[in-house]
Amino acid sequence: MAPWPELENAQPNPNKYLEGVTSQQPITPGKGKETNKNDTGSPVTKIELLPSNSTVALIEEPTEVADPWDLPELRDTGIKWSERDTKGKILCVFQGIGKFILLLGFLYFFVCSLDVLSSAFQLVGGKVAGQFFSNNSIMSNPVAGLVIGVLVTVLVQSSSTSSSIVVSMVASSLLSVRAAIPIIMGANIGTSITNTIVALMQAGDRNEFRRAFAGATVHDFFNWLSVLVLLPLEAATHYLEILTDLVVETFHFKNGEDAPALLKVITDPFTKLIIQLDKKVINEIAMNDEAAKNKSLIKIWCKTLTNVTQMNVTVPSPENCTSPSLCWSDGLYTWTIKNVTSKENIAKCQHIFVNSNLPDLVVGTILLLVSLLVLCGCLIMIVKLLGSVLRGQVAVVIKKTLNTDFPFPFAWVTGYLAILVGAGMTFVVQSSSVFTSAMTPLIGIGVISIERAYPLTLGSNIGTTTTAILAALASPGNTLRSSLQIALCHFFFNISGILLWYPIPFTRLPIRLAKGLGIVSAKYRWFAVFYLIFFFFLTPLAVFGLSLAGWPVLVGVGVPIIFVILLVVVLSLLQSRCPRILPGKLQNWNFLPLWMHSLKPWDDLISLFAGCCQNRCCLCCRLCCRTCCLLCGCPPCCRCSGCCQNLEEEPELPIKVPEAFDNVAMSREALDGPPQAQGEAGDTRSAASSTAL
């Protein structure tokens, strides 16, 4: 062991490093110690210098990184129930009842805002959605039909509306069942955007946003992966069309009662006071009715009376008469008797826009902004109330109930039971968007895990198709067969997707992909908005535009892009699994420019433009000043230096040293070599010297 360095200014406590010596008593020879005499004859005791075995690390090592997907512990930080007096217990009970009532109230307005949001989207883009369907020339292209279903459902925010349009077109022979199946697949994708938008409202906390966005996008990935596999299979074999036709032919269905609208009974009295829409206009536009293009979607008259009367009308010739017995001529004109239908308006609707002369776009924009504000506010309050209610033993019970599997060997049954629960809850609320959107904040605060939310989401897909089947059974006789076959196609498509991506744990790719996207979106929160715009708007619009140009153009552009995507996926898998079989240059993506394989440069660019908006410079010179600062280094004399943000210095690593090293001069000597005079070292401690040491 190296001897302890003798430094002038270091004055450690030597008793800490001496064996058998206390600081309060003088050093005396004892047993086991050898005593000698020096030159003056005074006794000297030999002592053994022990090393300084400090148990404190010089540099604090970072703790182990916890799993970001572990559910947080919802601890009760308030007063325990046993420590409360009688008054406090009564007050706590009333507070719990009040929080529960507030939670139900905010949940009610949350569901109502989703309904108004759907109406707002229909006012803004409903006619455009109808025009997508009116172009029958590209409906024979399955890929074009898929993206049309995505775009229409995103614009009207309702898969039920887009499915009803498809049913009407099939019943009117404007569309075949074979061409309608890709549209139904696209509608299944488009309906998953609602809970993804809801997840954006939790972007304030990174941990909550990571879990909420992953829980919302697991629905997206399930739908996209199912389409990637089942759309080519359907185009090659038409198994959905054959299977549903066989079911319809085997079971002789008859018209029944309409599906029970359980949630609508509660929300309609409030939402009908805000806006009511005439959804038949979108169907008429899809049917190429020119008169419907000038009609407003806002419903004015809620109570009308239809009268059928016989009137004498003129016809060009006797061949145009209704019957020979009801045809006569007065020498100038040929007359006949026809039934004329007249509509009489009796009572107006009672919503707030009934007497406004505003166009649909303005009303839709107003409702869109208001509904988003109400949605965001209700979601924030729901998360806060759930965080205050789900604490302590209540949180433990709920989390264990939702996330615990059955004991071995029946653990596999838990997921399928969750699928049934999700289907039943969706059947009750009559909307998969409402169910998954209400589940998203629970995932964010850590009550429901991603692994448990996945089967619940799959069950909601099944539940919304059963609702469509019951609605199809209530259709008139002329549309019963087509509407039922379309609803069954939707049902068997979701069943096929579940068989692909759930039974075997290895095939549950949507969970892993959603977690990866959640981690990226929590780090770069702007990427979540980019994901929504790119996958639900830009990509479907680009494919739709290429489809209008023709099948050869779509294949010529799409095949190289798909080949590049597959190549990137294969290389990424090989880099993570078997990098040794690849050439050295292909074992990572560093051979590409940084902006092609990392989001960091894009994040810096977005931060640069976002920082321009936060400075005090005038708007016209912010970008120029930013460029100037990057080029010249922004000295204080530069006029543009006011635009630069002062970046905070990185915090230094804390250093813990024994008392023997807690001296300025000693640290300087350790760095500079020769010892300095004692007067040069003051009592002031220097953080920089400690850091250097």
Side-chain angles (χ1 to χ4, degrees):
M1 193 72 183
W4 195 270
E6 296 181 2
L7 301 176
E8 293 179 358
N9 297 320
Q11 298 181 7
N13 187 1
N15 296 334
K16 290 184 179 180
Y17 307 99
L18 298 180
E19 185 178 28
V21 178
T22 60
S23 59
Q24 301 297 332
Q25 298 177 356
I27 303 175
T28 58
K31 293 182 180 181
K33 295 184 175 61
E34 184 181 354
T35 304
N36 294 331
K37 293 184 179 181
N38 58 8
D39 297 337
T40 60
S42 59
V44 176
T45 304
K46 283 187 176 181
I47 60 177
E48 182 183 355
L49 184 63
L50 300 179
S52 173
N53 296 324
S54 175
T55 58
V56 182
L58 292 181
I59 299 178
E60 288 185 350
E61 297 181 356
T63 58
E64 294 183 2
V65 180
D67 187 1
W69 301 107
D70 285 343
L71 296 182
E73 295 184 5
L74 304 175
R75 296 179 178 177
D76 192 358
T77 57
I79 304 174
K80 294 182 179 180
W81 179 264
S82 58
E83 298 176 356
R84 297 178 184 268
D85 55 4
T86 305
K87 183 179 178 180
K89 290 180 179 179
I90 295 174
L91 183 61
C92 181
V93 170
F94 279 105
Q95 284 180 349
I97 295 174
K99 288 179 181 179
F100 181 72
I101 294 174
L102 283 176
L103 185 62
L104 291 180
F106 283 117
L107 186 61
Y108 175 78
F109 286 110
F110 175 78
V111 176
C112 290
S113 64
L114 286 176
D115 194 359
V116 176
L117 181 68
S118 175
S119 300
F121 271 106
Q122 292 182 49
L123 285 171
V124 172
K127 291 185 177 180
V128 178
Q131 290 176 359
F132 276 125
F133 280 121
S134 63
N135 193 346
N136 297 329
S137 59
I138 62 171
M139 289 294 185
S140 58
N141 184 353
V143 179
L146 174 72
V147 296
I148 286 174
V150 175
L151 288 172
V152 170
T153 309
V154 168
L155 289 174
V156 301
Q157 281 292 288
S158 174
S159 60
S160 301
T161 301
S162 55
S163 299
S164 64
I165 296 174
V166 172
V167 168
S168 300
M169 296 181 69
V170 173
S172 304
S173 300
L174 295 176
L175 196 65
S176 64
V177 174
R178 181 172 297 182
I181 291 175
I183 302 176
I184 295 298
M185 293 182 180
N188 210 48
I189 294 174
T191 192
S192 61
I193 192 177
T194 306
N195 60 328
T196 310
I197 295 175
V198 171
L200 293 177
M201 308 300 175
Q202 292 181 265
D205 186 274
R206 290 187 186 271
N207 292 326
E208 287 188 7
F209 184 56
R210 182 193 303 113
R211 290 188 293 265
F213 198 73
T217 53
V218 74
H219 195 187
D220 305 351
F221 283 114
F222 169 77
N223 290 330
W224 282 109
L225 290 174
S226 299
V227 165
L228 287 177
V229 175
L230 297 179
L231 182 62
L233 182 63
E234 171 64 22
T237 62
H238 308 293
Y239 84 100
L240 285 176
E241 180 186 3
I242 297 171
L243 180 61
T244 54
D245 185 68
L246 181 63
V247 172
V248 173
E249 289 292 339
T250 303
F251 300 96
H252 300 285
F253 294 102
K254 296 182 180 179
N255 293 359
E257 296 182 358
D258 200 353
L262 302 178
L263 191 64
K264 291 288 185 181
V265 174
I266 305 174
T267 58
D268 276 355
F270 179 74
T271 56
K272 285 185 176 180
L273 294 177
I274 300 176
I275 191 65
Q276 294 186 46
L277 300 183
D278 187 4
K279 297 181 180 179
K280 294 180 181 179
V281 176
I282 303 177
N283 289 354
E284 292 172 356
I285 294 176
M287 301 289 183
N288 290 321
D289 188 353
E290 295 294 332
K293 294 181 180 179
N294 298 323
K295 291 182 180 180
S296 175
L297 284 172
I298 301 175
K299 199 172 185 178
I300 305 298
W301 299 94
C302 287
K303 191 175 181 181
T304 59
L305 181 63
T306 302
N307 295 321
V308 180
T309 57
Q310 291 185 346
M311 295 183 63
N312 296 335
V313 295
T314 59
V315 292
S317 63
E319 288 79 9
N320 300 111
C321 294
T322 54
S323 67
S325 60
L326 298 176
C327 187
W328 69 93
S329 176
D330 59 359
L332 296 176
Y333 301 100
T334 302
W335 295 84
T336 187
I337 298 177
K338 284 187 176 181
N339 293 330
V340 178
T341 303
S342 61
K343 195 179 207 180
E344 183 180 355
N345 298 323
I346 297 177
K348 279 189 173 183
C349 300
Q350 300 297 321
H351 57 85
I352 59 178
F353 294 100
V354 66
N355 293 319
S356 66
N357 295 322
L358 298 175
D360 290 357
L361 182 61
V362 176
V363 176
T365 305
I366 294 173
L367 290 177
L368 185 64
L369 296 176
V370 173
S371 60
L372 283 176
L373 287 176
V374 174
L375 181 71
C376 182
C378 290
L379 185 63
I380 292 173
M381 295 306 299
I382 288 172
V383 171
K384 295 293 184 183
L385 287 172
L386 287 174
S388 63
V389 172
L390 300 178
R391 295 184 305 181
Q393 192 64 27
V394 178
V396 172
V397 172
I398 292 178
K399 288 172 66 175
K400 282 186 177 180
T401 304
L402 292 176
N403 300 305
T404 304
D405 294 335
F406 287 120
F408 182 82
F410 302 104
W412 59 273
V413 181
T414 311
Y416 296 97
L417 182 61
I419 292 176
L420 295 178
V421 171
M425 293 296 295
T426 306
F427 179 78
V428 170
V429 300
Q430 296 282 293
S431 173
S432 61
S433 299
V434 172
F435 175 72
T436 53
S437 299
M439 192 171 58
T440 299
L442 295 176
I443 301 172
I445 64 175
V447 176
I448 303 177
S449 64
I450 308 295
E451 288 76 13
R452 183 63 73 240
Y454 180 53
L456 289 172
T457 303
L458 301 186
S460 71
N461 275 357
I462 300 297
T464 192
T465 56
T466 56
T467 303
I469 291 174
L470 291 178
L473 291 175
S475 303
N478 57 340
T479 62
L480 174 63
R481 178 183 173 83
S482 56
S483 59
L484 186 58
Q485 190 169 0
I486 294 297
L488 288 174
C489 287
H490 197 183
F491 175 77
F492 285 112
F493 167 73
N494 283 302
I495 292 293
S496 302
I498 292 174
L499 294 177
L500 280 174
W501 308 114
Y502 187 75
I504 305 174
F506 176 76
T507 60
R508 295 172 187 174
L509 293 179
I511 296 178
R512 293 196 286 272
L513 294 175
K515 284 185 174 182
L517 182 60
I519 292 174
V520 173
S521 299
K523 186 177 181 180
Y524 308 106
R525 280 176 278 195
W526 55 267
F527 188 77
V529 180
F530 171 78
Y531 163 79
L532 275 179
I533 296 175
F534 182 79
F535 281 97
F536 288 96
F537 290 99
L538 296 182
T539 301
L541 282 174
V543 175
F544 180 74
L546 293 174
S547 301
L548 291 177
W551 179 259
V553 177
L554 179 62
V555 173
V557 176
V559 169
I561 295 176
I562 294 174
F563 176 76
V564 171
I565 293 174
L566 291 177
L567 182 63
V568 170
V569 170
V570 172
L571 280 178
S572 299
L573 290 175
L574 291 177
Q575 287 173 359
S576 60
R577 304 285 183 181
C578 307
R580 296 181 179 178
I581 66 175
L582 293 173
K585 197 171 185 180
L586 294 179
Q587 291 182 0
N588 52 53
W589 297 108
N590 294 335
F591 65 92
L592 294 175
L594 185 62
W595 60 270
M596 293 184 69
H597 64 90
S598 175
L599 293 176
K600 188 66 173 64
W602 299 100
D603 185 65
D604 294 339
L605 183 63
I606 292 175
S607 301
L608 178 67
F609 283 100
C612 291
C613 301
Q614 298 174 0
N615 296 324
R616 298 182 179 179
C617 298
C618 61
L619 181 63
C620 60
C621 68
R622 283 174 184 164
L623 187 60
C624 297
C625 287
R626 274 303 207 182
T627 307
C628 173
C629 292
L630 291 175
L631 293 176
C632 67
C634 194
C637 60
C638 179
R639 295 181 60 186
C640 299
S641 61
C643 292
C644 288
Q645 294 179 346
N646 295 325
L647 299 177
E648 298 182 358
E649 296 182 358
E650 296 183 0
E652 298 173 342
L653 291 174
I655 293 182
K656 297 182 180 179
V657 298
E659 294 178 2
F661 289 97
D662 198 4
N663 189 283
V664 178
M666 188 171 185
S667 60
R668 287 178 180 172
E669 291 167 5
L671 291 173
D672 300 335
Q676 302 294 331
Q678 185 174 0
E680 296 178 1
D683 295 332
T684 306
R685 297 180 179 181
S686 174
S689 62
S690 299
T691 305
L693 176 62

